[in-house]
Amino acid sequence: MHSQPISDIQPLADIILLLGEKVSKLITECRDFYKLEEEVYKLSQEACVKIFAWALEEIDTWLVNARDKRTWKVIGFRERTVVSSFGEFKVKRRLYRNKQTGEARFLLDEVLGWPERSGCTPRLKEMAVKLGSEVPFRRAAEILGYFVPGISAMAVWQAVQEAGEALRQEGESRREAVFEKGETPEGKEKTSRLYIEADGVVVRLQRSGEKRKEVKLFVAYTGKEAIGGGRKALKDKLVTSGVGEGERMWEEVYSGVASRWDMGQVKEIYLGSDGAEWAKQGVDYFPGAVHVLDPYHLNRRLIEAFWHDEEAYSGIRQAIYLGDREKVEEIMGGAARRVRGAKRRRIEKLWQYLKENWSGIVTSSAAEHLGAIEGQVQHNVARRMKRLGASWTEAGADRMARVLAARANGVLGRHTSRWPVLLARQEHLAQAVRLEVKRKIEEAGSWHKAGLPALKGPSAGAPWVKHVLRELSRPSLSSLIP
């Protein structure tokens, strides 16, 4: 690629020179530690914003010289406002038109993978999404505001929505590949046994004909391991969550599980649930899977029905453990005859529940290895989405649920620290920019000293000139460029 002269580095030197002057003045005038820290921080942010804008404009200048002039014509500048982790700033970049097709493009945006409607930088987006998944959007904006001037609750909300939508599209694409295009997932990880648990949590809706909606949560894992203090953690955990019909969500779960694990190596699959019909549908998607009623939910039902009758409660638990259905029916019949009203209705409801889920109760001893879903629901969904006063649109609830699942899987950064733009066609150009900037800075030692009159002027003896600008003028500055 043809080399072009680098733009004047004087603006960068001026920024640092001005920062030195302001900090020097502040030191002599400030008498309050808090105020000194606050003002130095603000000055540093102002300088960082200017340096960041200068860096972007330098890349844009290099691109205008490196472009194919036979194809791309500059038709003007367009200013763009963006909020970064340093604060809000504006940058001017060139708009090009393709002479053959008439297509208009910003080469700078493409090299950086800068989406047209994105109002914040990737690093700030990562901060906003991670904080927004922990606390309400307004509180997240308040916390970020201590470090990033100008960010609003709406900006945090938008960042979460963008990340959640990218995750939804990724899950839907994977589901379509398997269930609509007939592709076979090629999971690489090996395991002979899988546990998959499913449950839901109801959240309040806003701007909807429905008042509430269930967020479905699924967790797949290969077992449990001790982590100390008598506690255990799930091994190889994979969380899936969203707002959707049971069948569609199970399709997404299967495509995700099969994309991770080699299903041909899996010999046993246990599906745990509380007995909800949509949750039990999982056996239709995992051949040979065995449904197991979650022991936590089973015990809760027993306590609700027999909190007043300890003898019946203990007897039924023992009969269930032995798989003796006749004994269970006998004990429940006797307990029901001894009570009336609401207590009797609860016992009758429990018996119906046990009959509907009997195969899941006595199928296997695998039940003792399950029971993780309740804690997963509380930790990964309910803690954020069921806060006092929280309400969601249906789409917003789905996106947040997916963000929370990605956080639980430790992959949220993939959807926040990079913009969701395909850069393959521009990667060679981006690499060329990096190499050219590095080479030019290495050449800068001889000429950019001459562009810094402060090194020889009346301020040459000032500390911020001797110790900042003089070091900046050394060719070794190139070592800062990766």
Side-chain angles (χ1 to χ4, degrees):
M1 187 172 289
H2 179 65
S3 296
Q4 300 292 338
I6 195 169
S7 298
D8 188 6
I9 204 171
Q10 182 71 45
L12 178 59
D14 290 342
I15 293 169
I16 298 175
L17 185 65
L18 183 60
L19 174 63
E21 289 179 340
K22 289 184 176 180
V23 172
S24 181
K25 182 179 180 182
L26 181 62
I27 290 171
T28 61
E29 296 179 352
C30 188
R31 294 293 181 270
D32 181 90
F33 196 109
Y34 181 95
K35 195 66 175 176
L36 178 63
E37 180 183 11
E38 181 181 50
E39 292 302 317
V40 168
Y41 183 75
K42 287 180 180 179
L43 291 174
S44 300
Q45 281 189 306
E46 291 174 8
C48 287
V49 164
K50 293 175 182 177
I51 292 172
F52 197 11
W54 174 84
L56 294 175
E57 290 172 2
E58 278 299 302
I59 296 174
D60 195 44
T61 299
W62 190 89
L63 288 172
V64 73
N65 294 321
R67 80 190 191 282
D68 183 353
K69 296 181 176 63
R70 295 168 298 179
T71 303
W72 296 102
K73 176 184 178 182
V74 178
I75 58 176
F77 286 85
R78 298 293 185 274
E79 193 172 65
R80 186 170 186 179
T81 301
V82 64
V83 182
S84 74
S85 54
F86 309 123
E88 186 177 271
F89 70 96
K90 295 181 179 180
V91 59
K92 290 197 304 182
R93 70 261 199 263
R94 292 169 177 83
L95 178 63
Y96 302 83
R97 177 167 287 133
N98 188 302
K99 294 179 181 179
Q100 283 76 46
T101 66
E103 176 190 11
R105 284 161 58 180
F106 293 99
L107 292 186
L108 178 66
D109 293 12
E110 292 188 10
V111 165
L112 298 176
W114 195 349
E116 182 180 351
R117 294 180 178 83
S118 182
C120 63
T121 59
R123 185 168 184 267
L124 180 58
K125 181 179 178 181
E126 179 181 36
M127 294 163 63
V129 173
K130 288 183 176 179
L131 195 54
S133 67
E134 292 282 353
V135 298
F137 301 129
R138 191 176 300 280
R139 177 59 178 156
E142 181 183 349
I143 295 171
L144 283 173
Y146 288 111
F147 309 100
V148 184
I151 191 166
S152 65
M154 182 58 68
V156 176
W157 175 86
Q158 182 63 41
V160 172
Q161 294 300 300
E162 289 177 2
E165 180 59 22
L167 287 161
R168 186 197 68 78
Q169 292 178 15
E170 181 183 274
E172 179 63 16
S173 176
R174 192 165 47 233
R175 187 198 68 80
E176 287 180 354
V178 176
F179 289 94
E180 297 184 19
K181 298 178 182 178
E183 298 177 9
T184 302
E186 298 183 355
K188 303 299 183 185
E189 297 184 26
K190 311 291 185 183
T191 185
S192 61
R193 178 180 291 184
L194 269 178
Y195 300 94
I196 305 174
E197 299 189 52
D199 200 3
V201 58
V202 176
V203 298
R204 294 173 55 198
L205 290 184
Q206 58 175 274
R207 299 198 296 274
S208 172
E210 299 179 80
K211 291 185 177 181
R212 292 174 175 79
K213 197 73 176 181
E214 186 176 42
V215 176
K216 296 178 174 64
L217 183 81
F218 308 78
V219 57
Y221 54 99
T222 60
K224 298 178 182 178
E225 57 186 351
I227 57 174
R231 296 180 300 135
K232 293 184 178 181
L234 304 184
K235 291 174 61 178
D236 309 315
K237 181 175 68 174
L238 177 64
V239 177
T240 305
S241 187
V243 175
E245 298 302 319
E247 291 183 3
R248 197 175 191 89
M249 289 302 302
W250 272 115
E251 289 178 358
E252 190 172 326
V253 170
Y254 176 83
S255 60
V257 168
S259 295
R260 177 169 176 177
W261 286 286
D262 181 353
M263 299 305 292
Q265 301 292 319
V266 180
K267 306 304 180 185
E268 299 175 70
I269 302 177
Y270 297 100
L271 300 180
S273 81
D274 64 351
E277 286 303 315
W278 69 263
K280 293 191 290 187
Q281 289 175 343
V283 296
D284 299 330
Y285 294 89
F286 292 88
V290 175
H291 175 253
V292 181
L293 192 68
D294 178 80
Y296 170 85
H297 291 94
L298 173 59
N299 194 53
R300 188 172 68 179
R301 294 288 187 113
L302 293 175
I303 292 173
E304 288 174 352
F306 292 109
W307 60 268
H308 61 283
D309 191 337
E310 185 176 347
E311 181 180 351
Y313 171 77
S314 299
I316 285 190
R317 280 192 56 136
Q318 181 66 17
I320 287 174
Y321 177 77
L322 296 173
D324 189 341
R325 181 167 175 169
E326 291 184 0
K327 187 65 174 177
V328 169
E329 186 172 6
E330 178 187 333
I331 295 173
M332 294 196 70
R337 286 190 293 272
R338 293 194 294 270
V339 295
R340 294 287 184 273
K343 292 180 180 179
R344 185 169 187 169
R345 287 193 294 273
R346 280 195 292 269
I347 293 174
E348 291 171 348
K349 185 177 179 181
L350 171 63
W351 177 230
Q352 184 64 32
Y353 176 76
L354 294 178
K355 288 191 293 184
E356 291 174 353
N357 293 285
W358 187 254
S359 62
I361 294 173
V362 299
T363 295
S364 169
S365 61
E368 65 188 56
H369 299 290
L370 296 170
I373 192 64
E374 193 69 19
Q376 293 294 313
V377 167
Q378 177 61 33
H379 181 71
N380 293 320
V381 177
R383 187 167 61 89
R384 173 64 181 91
M385 299 188 69
K386 285 185 71 69
R387 290 176 180 272
L388 182 64
S391 61
W392 310 83
T393 63
E394 186 169 335
D398 182 70
R399 290 167 182 158
M400 176 57 83
R402 293 174 184 277
V403 165
L404 295 172
R407 187 188 67 185
N409 293 329
V411 298
L412 185 56
R414 298 179 191 174
H415 302 273
T416 56
S417 61
R418 298 292 182 272
W419 275 309
V421 175
L422 296 176
L423 298 177
R425 62 176 177 166
Q426 291 296 335
E427 181 55 32
H428 67 286
L429 192 54
Q431 177 66 15
V433 169
R434 289 192 288 269
L435 292 174
E436 181 69 5
V437 171
K438 180 176 180 178
R439 187 178 69 81
K440 287 298 183 180
I441 290 183
E442 287 174 347
E443 297 175 353
S446 61
W447 59 266
H448 104 257
K449 261 189 182 180
L452 298 175
L455 292 174
K456 299 180 181 180
S459 300
W464 40 269
V465 174
K466 290 194 299 183
H467 302 298
V468 179
L469 290 188
R470 198 170 300 280
E471 289 302 314
L472 179 64
S473 69
R474 297 183 187 279
S476 60
L477 176 65
S478 60
S479 64
L480 298 177
I481 307 299

